[in-house]
Amino acid sequence: MKFSESWLRTLVDPKLTSEELSHLLTMAGLEVEELDPVAPAFASVVVAQVLEVVKHPDADRLNVCQVDIGDGSPKQIVCGAPNVAAGLKVPCALPGAELPGDFKIKVAKVRGIESSGMLCSAKELGIAEEASGLLILPADAPVGQSIRQYLELDDHVFELKLTPNRADCLSLQGIAREVGAITGVATCLPVVAEVPASIADSRAVVLDAPAACPLYFGRIVKNVDANAPTPEWMKRRLERSGIRAISALVDITNYVMLELGQPLHAFDNTRLEGAVHARMAQPEEKLLLLNEQTIAVDADILVISDDAKALAMAGIMGGEESGITLATTELFLESAFFAPKAIAGRARRYGFGSDASHRFERGVDFGGTRAAIERATQLILDICGGQAGPVVEARAELPARTPVRLRTARAEKVLGLPLGAERIAALFKGLALSFTQQGDDFLVTPPSWRFDMEIEEDLIEEIARLYGYDNIPAPAPRGPLKMQVQPEARRPAYRVRQMLADRGYQEVVNFAFVETAWEADFAAKTAETELIRLANPIASQMAVMRSTLFGGLISNLQTNLKRKQNRVRLFEVGRTFHRDAAAAPVAGFHQPWKLAGLAFGSALPEGWASGARKVDFYDLKGDIEALLAPAVLRFEKLNHPALHPGRAASILLDGQEIGCLGELHPEWAQKYDLPQAPVLFELDFDAVKASLVPAYVEVSKFPPVIRDLAVVVDQQLALQALLDGLKASSPALVQDVQLFDVYVGKGVPENKKSLAFRIVMQDTQRTLQDSEVDAAMQQLIACLEQTFSAQLRA
């Protein structure tokens, strides 16, 4: 909501500076997003009249002008503007003036002719970005008056960032009412008198959809001059509110909307047939809108029509065929209340919006609907002339104003303030709320312009706003403190984060709603039954809930690469979302916490002692093993839609799959324009936080016996299977079995590989005998030969 400060101060004028007023509004919940001066600083620019214009003797594009600046002595000024002409009134910068851009005006000779000033365009004054010539002022502009005073350039434009519940502040009247309540300054709100009918012409109004349109006022105004100029004061207020002046009739409806908050619409009455109807759209009905867009109107769209055709999308946009033009002499003026539920979302469905729909879908003051049509009628008669017919009213059941009870004790408890009933009553009177007092309780009836007062907490919020958030004390909390028990078998989340940060990862936080393509690429979810789609996404590319954290990490990597970060380590802790009919606490959905990470670029930071080796699968495998130590993990081959089919593994802990690890699939690396494939992992966060409780194990005092064992096996045989077999058949004295060499080549048959294992044997009670060691080795060899067809390597 944009508006001119000078306009606001005609309705309420607190003794505050612009900055103080801005802070006051923000602290009252009406956030001032921008506060800008209408024009940059300059002085010594006055209204001047061009008396005479002659060609410059030495320049074809220059003119020598005699200019009256109001001091009784015409000044000679050389001007190159193409639109300069005798009789015009224009801004004139006098010698000594300093215009925007550090442009100083002084008496100077231009091609041999002395010039005592400069005639100015709007661009040179800093009030327009472009200008094709001088700024032409109205003929009644007083010569000699400061241009800042005449154009009200010592003004500011406020832009409010309103929350959806404060539709009452989408008008100057609503903002003035709010400022008056906050400051205690009396307001001077517009007083609207009924315009008596001077002609009998009228048009019947029928409410065919009374739930969607419970109130409609219409009036015929004849013999209007649509070509009448819009007054400068009105154009100035509109333009400073962000609305371009179009024509007098259109400008008047926009002005009343800004002033009173009630959107209006004017139809060309000569193009209407029969009665005016507020009804739902008919099957296959089409409408050409004022934005030149032809739409097929859905059945749940409220339209305004006559007996023959649809005229407008109610509360959103008028139709081209019934719209007013500069040739219009007879109009039908509409002022109506449309239920917010009947308007909300309809404009966005067709890819556009309007000031009217923005207001109606939030709630318009139905108590001011009649006043708005009267105000617009009076302005039309004053500016465009004409005769007004009687106001035709159609009314159904309007929104109920259900009283809300406020308990003084409850308000004091919530806010922590000793307010008292008298203070609360004074605050409610400032907001023009109607209430009855029952002891210390209040029964408040919300006014017609407030749709956000439904429960007791809404009234407590109003008290807090008016009392001033800055004035509410903020004492330090006091209470008994108790250390929380931290189970030894569970790592705190902050410790997991710290461990990853210690290994060079940085935490990221991404939205839980993601692109549909990410779910298809990284989770292979394409069917609508698999996707969890949002009913009202904040953006079209964020339409589904994520089932994996990979998409956000890839997007983060892209952002870092665009900023020339060639070594990236990221992790994220967050929920993923899956359909599950038996899930709790949200029926139909499972929302587990996950920990995911990504590594890209070189394995080590650049330095004299580190090479240029790229990060690979085994680097992240080591990070995960360190993160979950002392737990022993298993890694098994995995096919995952996001990962390289030959460089991915599932991660198992105690036989349960807890996550996956692997290099990004080459197809996705190419699609997302990555110079190399990053390595990613995703783990169940609950499994990561679980920790083994330390258990005492006796340390042997006796020396270990270490033997090496080399065998030849099929090249396709997985190492993990061999290790599992060896450990299962090992006698108690075998403490560890580790692979230390893999060889393929000369001396090893084709399609075979040589694996060398280091066997560590030890006992806690005695030194092992050679016979015991030999027997253990024979047992391991027998396992390899019988189970895996292995051959001892000579």
Side-chain angles (χ1 to χ4, degrees):
M1 173 67 186
K2 292 178 68 174
F3 61 90
S4 157
E5 181 183 358
S6 63
W7 188 3
L8 176 64
R9 288 188 182 273
T10 63
L11 305 178
V12 59
D13 191 10
K15 303 304 179 184
L16 300 171
T17 65
S18 302
E19 291 72 20
E20 290 171 339
L21 180 59
S22 171
H23 176 74
L24 193 71
L25 288 170
T26 297
M27 294 310 298
L30 308 181
E31 181 185 352
V32 178
E33 193 170 31
E34 290 187 26
L35 173 62
D36 299 313
V38 168
F42 62 83
S44 299
V45 181
V46 299
V47 177
Q49 184 170 19
V50 181
L51 303 176
E52 180 184 79
V53 178
V54 297
K55 283 289 183 183
H56 192 292
D58 294 328
D60 293 338
R61 296 187 179 181
L62 298 179
N63 296 292
V64 180
C65 308
Q66 297 299 318
V67 179
D68 179 11
I69 61 171
D71 63 355
S73 175
K75 306 298 181 185
Q76 179 174 278
I77 297 177
V78 177
C79 178
N83 62 337
V84 65
L88 292 180
K89 290 186 177 179
V90 296
C92 177
L94 305 178
E98 187 171 332
L99 299 182
D102 198 24
F103 184 41
K104 297 180 180 179
I105 305 299
K106 57 185 178 180
V107 177
K109 287 189 175 182
V110 180
R111 293 288 184 94
I113 302 294
E114 186 176 276
S115 179
S116 300
M118 185 178 82
L119 304 184
C120 301
S121 67
K123 181 180 180 180
E124 289 160 339
L125 296 179
I127 58 178
E129 294 184 0
E130 297 295 334
S132 58
L134 299 177
L135 175 59
I136 307 300
L137 302 175
D140 60 354
V143 174
Q145 184 178 11
S146 167
I147 198 68
R148 295 194 73 90
Q149 182 181 355
Y150 178 72
L151 295 179
E152 298 181 5
L153 298 182
D154 294 320
D155 191 9
H156 289 80
V157 172
F158 282 73
E159 184 166 0
L160 302 184
K161 186 178 182 181
L162 296 174
T163 51
N165 65 312
R166 294 311 307 270
D168 59 301
C169 291
L170 288 169
S171 68
L172 268 294
Q173 178 175 258
I175 297 169
R177 188 189 292 123
E178 194 76 8
V179 172
I182 299 166
T183 62
V185 175
T187 58
C188 183
L189 301 180
V191 178
V192 180
E194 291 189 9
V195 178
S198 57
I199 57 175
D201 299 57
S202 65
R203 191 176 292 278
V205 175
V206 181
L207 301 182
D208 295 319
C213 176
L215 184 62
Y216 193 104
F217 292 98
R219 166 179 256 166
I220 292 175
V221 184
K222 302 181 73 173
N223 299 322
V224 297
D225 179 10
N227 291 283
T230 303
E232 288 298 319
W233 61 267
M234 182 179 287
K235 289 172 62 176
R236 192 176 302 133
R237 289 179 174 182
L238 287 174
E239 288 167 357
R240 291 178 187 177
S241 299
I243 295 180
R244 179 174 57 90
I246 299 173
S247 67
L249 292 175
V250 175
D251 294 345
I252 288 168
T253 59
N254 285 333
Y255 181 83
V256 173
M257 177 184 70
L258 291 173
E259 183 181 54
L260 303 181
Q262 171 69 52
L264 304 171
H265 189 67
F267 300 94
D268 189 324
N269 192 52
T270 62
R271 301 183 182 184
L272 307 188
E273 302 177 39
V276 170
H277 298 259
R279 60 170 174 81
M280 305 311 292
Q282 297 173 351
E284 300 183 0
E285 192 165 26
K286 293 189 176 182
L287 180 62
L288 174 61
L289 300 174
L290 288 173
N291 62 1
E292 299 182 353
Q293 179 179 346
T294 300
I295 62 169
V297 190
D298 294 340
D300 63 341
I301 299 292
L302 182 68
V303 298
I304 304 300
S305 72
D306 58 16
D307 289 340
K309 59 188 178 299
L311 305 173
M313 288 179 73
I316 299 175
M317 187 172 291
E320 179 69 26
E321 294 180 0
S322 61
I324 57 174
T325 66
L326 293 178
T328 297
T329 60
E330 186 176 328
L331 59 89
F332 180 77
L333 192 60
E334 167 195 281
S335 179
F337 173 75
F338 302 115
K341 290 183 179 179
I343 306 299
R346 297 336 189 252
R348 290 189 294 276
R349 183 187 305 172
Y350 291 96
F352 63 85
S354 67
D355 289 323
S357 66
H358 183 75
R359 286 165 170 80
F360 277 123
E361 65 187 6
R362 286 162 172 77
V364 168
D365 177 13
F366 55 83
T369 309
R370 175 66 183 264
I373 198 170
E374 298 288 0
R375 175 67 165 151
T377 302
Q378 188 60 61
L379 289 172
I380 291 171
L381 298 182
D382 292 344
I383 297 171
C384 303
Q387 294 86 41
V391 174
V392 177
E393 176 182 354
R395 182 186 293 263
E397 185 177 355
L398 291 169
R401 301 286 82 192
T402 305
V404 180
R405 180 173 295 276
L406 172 78
R407 296 162 292 171
T408 299
R410 174 64 176 166
E412 291 178 338
K413 182 178 180 181
V414 171
L415 299 178
L417 297 171
L419 292 166
E422 290 185 8
R423 183 64 185 276
I424 292 176
L427 294 175
F428 284 164
K429 288 177 182 177
L431 283 173
L433 299 182
S434 174
F435 64 88
T436 58
Q437 198 166 345
Q438 301 172 352
D440 284 345
D441 290 1
F442 294 84
L443 201 61
V444 181
T445 302
S448 58
W449 59 82
R450 292 298 294 267
F451 289 80
D452 60 333
M453 292 184 181
E454 297 180 343
I455 57 176
E456 187 176 31
E457 284 71 17
D458 295 332
L459 297 177
I460 295 175
E461 180 186 2
E462 294 301 303
I463 295 171
R465 289 193 318 104
L466 297 183
Y467 185 86
Y469 293 119
D470 286 346
N471 299 324
I472 298 177
R478 299 178 63 186
L481 297 179
K482 181 180 179 181
M483 291 290 290
Q484 295 293 316
V485 176
Q486 179 64 53
E488 193 175 2
R490 193 167 185 81
R491 294 188 184 96
Y494 76 85
R495 178 60 185 144
V496 176
R497 290 181 165 94
Q498 186 61 54
M499 292 172 70
L500 284 166
D502 291 344
R503 301 189 74 84
Y505 291 81
Q506 297 187 47
E507 186 174 9
V508 296
V509 179
N510 292 305
F511 281 113
F513 17 91
V514 299
E515 296 186 36
T516 306
W518 290 2
E519 286 296 287
D521 294 346
F522 305 129
K525 292 189 176 182
T526 56
E528 285 297 321
T529 54
E530 297 177 310
L531 297 172
I532 302 176
R533 203 170 277 283
L534 293 169
N536 187 24
I538 62 173
S540 60
Q541 72 274 18
M542 306 171 83
V544 298
M545 301 300 290
R546 66 186 178 190
S547 63
T548 174
L549 303 183
F550 284 164
L553 293 175
I554 297 296
S555 178
N556 298 142
L557 174 59
Q558 289 178 304
T559 301
N560 278 272
L561 291 177
K562 290 175 183 176
R563 286 156 179 78
K564 307 301 180 184
Q565 300 297 315
N566 297 321
R567 185 175 185 273
V568 181
R569 298 288 187 282
L570 303 172
F571 78 93
E572 180 176 11
V573 176
R575 287 189 184 275
T576 58
F577 302 84
H578 311 266
R579 292 192 181 276
D580 185 348
V586 180
F589 300 100
H590 180 46
Q591 307 174 53
W593 283 90
K594 297 285 186 177
L595 167 65
L598 173 148
F600 175 90
S602 58
L604 297 172
E606 185 177 359
W608 64 271
S610 60
R613 181 178 68 82
K614 300 295 184 182
V615 69
D616 60 22
F617 175 95
Y618 296 100
D619 291 308
L620 266 72
K621 179 175 180 287
D623 289 341
I624 294 170
E625 289 174 331
L627 182 64
L628 276 77
V632 178
L633 303 177
R634 286 173 56 90
F635 296 84
E636 296 183 354
K637 186 177 180 181
L638 171 71
N639 286 322
H640 190 286
L643 305 177
H644 192 298
R647 300 175 186 174
S650 59
I651 304 170
L652 288 86
L653 176 62
D654 296 333
Q656 298 292 321
E657 184 174 341
I658 65 167
C660 62
L661 162 69
E663 187 177 294
L664 185 67
H665 197 291
E667 181 180 356
W668 310 138
Q670 181 178 8
K671 176 179 177 178
Y672 292 95
D673 198 24
L674 302 177
Q676 76 179 65
V679 185
L680 304 106
F681 69 84
E682 186 173 75
L683 302 169
D684 291 335
F685 196 44
D686 285 341
V688 175
K689 290 192 292 183
S691 177
L692 295 176
V693 178
Y696 171 75
V697 176
E698 184 180 0
V699 178
S700 177
K701 301 176 184 178
F702 301 95
V705 177
I706 300 175
R707 294 285 179 90
D708 292 343
L709 176 63
V711 294
V712 177
V713 297
D714 288 340
Q715 198 165 26
Q716 300 302 318
L717 183 62
L719 169 65
Q720 190 64 54
L722 281 171
L723 291 173
D724 291 345
L726 287 171
K727 290 178 181 178
S729 62
S730 297
L733 59 86
V734 176
Q735 301 298 314
D736 192 22
V737 179
Q738 291 287 341
L739 175 75
F740 72 87
D741 183 57
V742 178
Y743 175 73
V744 176
K746 186 177 180 181
V748 176
E750 188 176 356
N751 297 324
K752 299 285 185 177
K753 61 184 175 183
S754 171
L755 303 178
F757 297 95
R758 180 151 293 154
I759 316 296
V760 179
M761 291 169 279
Q762 192 176 30
D763 192 278
T764 59
Q765 303 300 319
R766 57 190 174 82
T767 301
L768 295 176
Q769 302 294 320
D770 287 345
S771 59
E772 294 176 296
V773 172
D774 291 341
M777 290 299 296
Q778 287 301 320
Q779 187 174 337
L780 295 177
I781 292 170
C783 171
L784 292 172
E785 291 177 341
Q786 295 170 12
T787 307
F788 302 104
S789 302
Q791 298 176 348
L792 283 175
R793 186 179 175 195

